[in-house]
Amino acid sequence: MRRYFSAFLAFYLFWLIPGFAQEGAPDYVKENYTKEEVYIPMRDGVRLYTAIYTPKEKGPHPIMMQRTCYSIAPYGPDNYKKALGPSKYLMEDKFIFVYQDVRGRWMSEGDFTNMTPNIPGNKHKKQTDESSDTFDTIEWLLKHLKGKTNGKVGQWGISYPGFYTAAALPDAHPALKASSPQAPIGDFFFDDFHHNGAYLQSYTAAYPVFGYQTDTTTQSWYNEALTRMRAANAIDGYDYHLEMGPLKNITEKIHFDNEFWKQTIEHPNYDEFWQKRSIIPHLKDVDHAVMVVGGWFDAEDLFGPLNIYKTVEKNNPDTYNTIVMGPWSHGDWARERGIQKINHIYFGDSISTFYQKEIERTFFNHFLRDGKGKPALPEAYMFDTGLKEWQKFDVWPPQIPKTTLGFKENGVLTINETGSADASFDYLSDPAKPVPYTSFTEGVTFTPRAYMTDDQRHASRRPDVLTFETAPLEKDFVLAGEIMAKLKVAISSTDADFIVKIIDVYPPDHESYEHNPDNIVMGNYQQLVRAEVFRGRFRNSFAEPEPFVPNEVTEVEYVLQDILHTFKKGHKVMVQIHSTWFPYIDRNPQKYVDNIYEANEEDFIKATITVKGDSKIEIGELNTTPAPLQLEVDK
């Protein structure tokens, strides 16, 4: 158990606490900055614990701020971070760096709320949300640092801190000039804990971090809850979660005292609880520069950056708003390993350094140091994950002709040709023997990242996976923009999930990469490029689920998130369709029950799934955003 807890805690420190993973001279920060720790009062009297690092070099300097639920450690005025800011380049450019524990986390007072609901028009009201807390913090800093700052503030954050950055976009303080939400959570029903309402069972280990209230502390509070997973003995996460059984057993054995888990299981549908926590509908009247950053292979937060960017763009056409999507998993751009690879796929060298120096540094220095006009950056800096090179776009999604992928007999995938409505393709989905999400054995893990480019041969060989592919391409073929799966299905039961994958099949003679183990042969490799799950009960409404009528042909349409991938000459395009993806995604019982979190063992049944031949996948500019249906909620 200790081994598992240590690994889990190391994950949080490495990936989520700002500055932990950055490299720099051991004493650089202490030699070049002075540190103070203060409590900053909010409008309701709650005080938020804040660390301020001010350059010793004479100013005035801009302020760069990050608000986090993951701790601003190390604590104590004489204990300095090893590195500051988003990168060493901005640290060397000498900003005033400010770090703040959000309400109810670590040393800050108040109660913690997951994805604090935004209160529209809250700039000067007594009520508090993340926007008002950011506003009040900036107001205090400008007075406290008078004479040391030039009065311009920027903010950034990755993952949950990315949400806090996005949540401060509406009703912003006039001194806030540049914001960069990076891998931001946009909506917890579509990011992180859920994808299209399906529960990410891999996130079971994350709940202890978010599900308890604490007093002010510098110590972690989630150790005991983590050890309940007895994961030190679980070499195979697939077996561990399968033996766990229905999700109700997680309630009984692991998260029986976790408030966020309780809220999750009490709200299985996209009701007011979840909708209030979505920041996306509130991204209006944004009056300062925005740069959204994400990774094409982010298993946690791909919905967030794409939808936040598009919504800011749609609602604020005169605001400077740009997006960067690189060949990264969650937060990879904040560190440099020399080579950039996801699982077995190599994308190039020093890609994060290029981003940090040429994109991120340019953005913040321009808007926070008296820059005029627009910086020398495109509207969209997007990495083509097939060509393995950066592309610049004036608009995203790109305005190019729509591409359609269709299905024919004998596993044939067509391009811009739809299959026959008379054709149908069947498979038997058994929740007792779910399709693994990965080709390799993996222990109980949170945020499984390698699978995002994993070899899919383990799935294409299974009888419960439909597989369609083209002939070898005679020339390069590009898929760019939004993706919509438009399935026509019939099922023998009353509920099912649908997983659609787009895959790049390498030619038999493709060279192997020197950075991989010798047993990883790239010939005929089936690289996952894009995939997403959809819980069939939500086909008409995420708020009001409904069962299927057995054996009745029904349309199921959903978004897979965007793509920019060139399938090279000699490669093949493949599509897979199946109904389990375990244990990344929880198992649908396939018998409709009102709440899957309360399903019993006997509710899990086999189902015959039929996909009709006139189903298709559309790629291009499809107007799939903004985010899904919003109910009327209290303002």
Side-chain angles (χ1 to χ4, degrees), residues 210-224:
F210 304 105
Y212 299 97
Q213 295 293 339
T214 68
D215 295 326
T216 55
T217 180
T218 61
Q219 304 299 315
S220 60
W221 56 87
Y222 39 80
N223 306 35
E224 178 183 350

Side-chain angles (χ1 to χ4, degrees), residues 105 112 114 193 206-214 221-222 257-263:
R105 294 289 84 167
F112 176 69
N114 276 298
F193 292 88
Y207 274 86
V209 180
F210 304 105
Y212 299 97
Q213 295 293 339
T214 68
W221 56 87
Y222 39 80
D257 60 351
N258 188 292
E259 180 61 25
F260 187 44
W261 177 259
K262 183 174 182 289
Q263 293 168 336

Side-chain angles (χ1 to χ4, degrees), residues 5-264:
F5 172 70
S6 297
F8 187 86
L9 184 59
F11 166 84
Y12 263 88
L13 289 171
F14 186 82
W15 291 97
L16 299 178
I17 295 180
F20 182 87
Q22 297 176 15
E23 296 181 357
D27 298 320
Y28 181 89
V29 177
K30 199 163 191 176
E31 291 172 354
N32 290 273
Y33 288 82
T34 59
K35 180 187 179 186
E36 62 176 321
E37 294 183 348
V38 297
Y39 270 112
I40 299 180
M42 300 294 103
R43 61 190 65 184
D44 63 348
V46 170
R47 300 180 305 160
L48 304 187
Y49 203 76
T50 309
I52 304 170
Y53 293 82
T54 304
K56 293 180 179 179
E57 181 180 296
K58 187 176 180 180
H61 304 283
I63 297 171
M64 282 282 286
M65 181 170 65
Q66 183 176 89
R67 305 181 65 247
T68 181
C69 57
Y70 295 129
S71 172
I72 63 170
Y75 295 97
D78 296 325
N79 296 323
Y80 282 66
K81 288 182 176 290
K82 295 179 181 178
L84 299 173
S87 73
K88 66 178 182 178
Y89 307 105
L90 286 166
M91 176 178 67
E92 293 168 355
D93 288 343
K94 303 298 192 307
F95 290 78
I96 298 172
F97 290 101
V98 176
Y99 296 88
Q100 184 177 78
D101 288 332
V102 298
R103 287 174 178 258
R105 294 289 84 167
W106 302 93
M107 284 296 290
S108 283
E109 299 173 349
D111 294 328
F112 176 69
T113 302
N114 276 298
M115 300 284 285
T116 309
N118 177 269
I119 303 172
N122 194 33
K123 188 179 295 185
H124 300 296
K125 295 180 180 178
K126 291 292 184 181
Q127 298 164 297
T128 62
D129 58 14
E130 302 304 340
S131 178
S132 73
D133 281 355
T134 305
F135 188 102
D136 294 350
T137 299
I138 293 174
E139 186 77 2
W140 189 95
L141 289 169
L142 293 176
K143 295 175 182 176
H144 181 71
L145 297 170
K146 189 174 182 179
K148 298 179 181 179
T149 175
N150 69 356
K152 295 187 177 183
V153 181
Q155 61 173 349
W156 90 102
I158 297 174
S159 194
Y160 219 138
F163 161 75
Y164 294 121
T165 304
L169 294 177
D171 299 312
H173 194 286
L176 185 57
K177 302 298 183 183
S179 294
S180 182
Q182 302 182 4
I185 304 163
D187 187 319
F188 260 171
F189 207 70
F190 303 92
D191 278 310
D192 279 318
F193 292 88
H194 302 88
H195 279 203
N196 288 317
Y199 171 56
L200 266 69
Q201 192 153 346
S202 61
Y203 262 65
T204 301
Y207 274 86
V209 180
F210 304 105
Y212 299 97
Q213 295 293 339
T214 68
D215 295 326
T216 55
T217 180
T218 61
Q219 304 299 315
S220 60
W221 56 87
Y222 39 80
N223 306 35
E224 178 183 350
L226 282 174
T227 60
R228 294 175 192 159
M229 292 196 68
R230 61 176 179 82
N233 298 320
I235 298 173
D236 190 332
Y238 182 99
D239 287 345
Y240 172 83
H241 284 288
L242 200 57
E243 291 172 5
M244 179 66 68
L247 296 178
K248 65 184 300 182
N249 293 340
I250 294 176
T251 305
E252 295 173 3
K253 298 177 182 180
I254 300 175
H255 293 327
F256 49 82
D257 60 351
N258 188 292
E259 180 61 25
F260 187 44
W261 177 259
K262 183 174 182 289
Q263 293 168 336
T264 299

Side-chain angles (χ1 to χ4, degrees), residues 533-604:
V533 63
F534 187 81
R535 185 135 285 173
R537 60 176 53 209
F538 296 127
R539 64 196 178 279
N540 294 320
S541 168
F542 286 103
E544 299 177 358
E546 56 188 279
F548 286 77
V549 176
N551 302 314
E552 181 178 288
V553 175
T554 306
E555 293 184 354
V556 175
E557 299 185 358
Y558 71 99
V559 175
L560 272 72
Q561 311 310 329
D562 297 12
I563 190 173
L564 177 59
H565 187 88
T566 296
F567 296 78
K568 294 183 178 179
K569 178 182 177 180
H571 289 227
K572 295 187 286 186
V573 184
M574 175 183 284
V575 168
Q576 292 180 358
I577 303 172
H578 49 97
S579 292
T580 52
W581 208 17
F582 193 74
Y584 179 52
I585 302 297
D586 74 306
R587 297 173 300 148
N588 189 321
Q590 301 186 159
K591 170 188 174 183
Y592 185 89
V593 294
D594 289 336
N595 189 339
I596 291 178
Y597 294 98
E598 298 175 354
N600 297 312
E601 190 72 54
E602 60 268 23
D603 293 325
F604 290 77

Side-chain angles (χ1 to χ4, degrees), residues 375-598:
L377 295 173
E379 173 73 16
Y381 234 136
M382 314 297 267
F383 194 91
D384 186 315
T385 55
L387 288 180
K388 300 179 181 178
E389 62 184 37
W390 288 102
Q391 303 282 348
K392 299 178 182 180
F393 294 88
D394 295 330
V395 61
W396 187 268
Q399 296 176 334
I400 58 177
K402 180 177 66 177
T403 299
T404 300
L405 302 179
F407 312 110
K408 285 193 171 183
E409 290 85 352
N410 302 314
V412 173
L413 182 71
T414 64
I415 297 176
N416 294 328
E417 180 184 352
T418 304
S420 170
D422 295 331
S424 61
F425 313 97
D426 300 337
Y427 60 93
L428 181 66
S429 176
D430 184 358
K433 298 179 181 179
V435 178
Y437 76 92
T438 178
S439 66
F440 50 86
T441 299
E442 189 169 38
V444 176
T445 183
F446 165 48
T447 60
R449 299 176 178 197
Y451 93 89
M452 288 289 281
T453 64
D454 197 16
D455 190 350
Q456 299 303 301
R457 280 176 284 194
H458 73 283
S460 61
R461 292 165 178 161
R462 288 182 58 120
D464 53 354
V465 177
L466 297 180
T467 301
F468 304 89
E469 65 179 2
T470 65
L473 298 169
E474 297 181 358
K475 61 181 180 179
D476 288 359
F477 173 65
V478 183
L479 291 181
E482 299 168 332
I483 310 172
M484 176 73 80
K486 295 186 173 183
L487 305 181
K488 293 184 179 180
V489 303
I491 67 176
S492 64
S493 59
T494 49
D495 198 10
D497 289 350
F498 298 91
I499 294 93
V500 173
K501 303 173 181 172
I502 296 178
I503 296 162
D504 186 338
V505 182
Y506 288 41
D509 59 351
H510 194 285
E511 63 180 358
S512 293
Y513 297 125
E514 62 182 69
H515 307 292
N516 285 336
D518 291 341
N519 66 316
I520 304 300
V521 177
M522 299 308 297
N524 294 317
Y525 194 96
Q526 296 176 6
Q527 180 202 330
L528 185 63
V529 177
R530 182 64 68 242
E532 190 57 279
V533 63
F534 187 81
R535 185 135 285 173
R537 60 176 53 209
F538 296 127
R539 64 196 178 279
N540 294 320
S541 168
F542 286 103
E544 299 177 358
E546 56 188 279
F548 286 77
V549 176
N551 302 314
E552 181 178 288
V553 175
T554 306
E555 293 184 354
V556 175
E557 299 185 358
Y558 71 99
V559 175
L560 272 72
Q561 311 310 329
D562 297 12
I563 190 173
L564 177 59
H565 187 88
T566 296
F567 296 78
K568 294 183 178 179
K569 178 182 177 180
H571 289 227
K572 295 187 286 186
V573 184
M574 175 183 284
V575 168
Q576 292 180 358
I577 303 172
H578 49 97
S579 292
T580 52
W581 208 17
F582 193 74
Y584 179 52
I585 302 297
D586 74 306
R587 297 173 300 148
N588 189 321
Q590 301 186 159
K591 170 188 174 183
Y592 185 89
V593 294
D594 289 336
N595 189 339
I596 291 178
Y597 294 98
E598 298 175 354

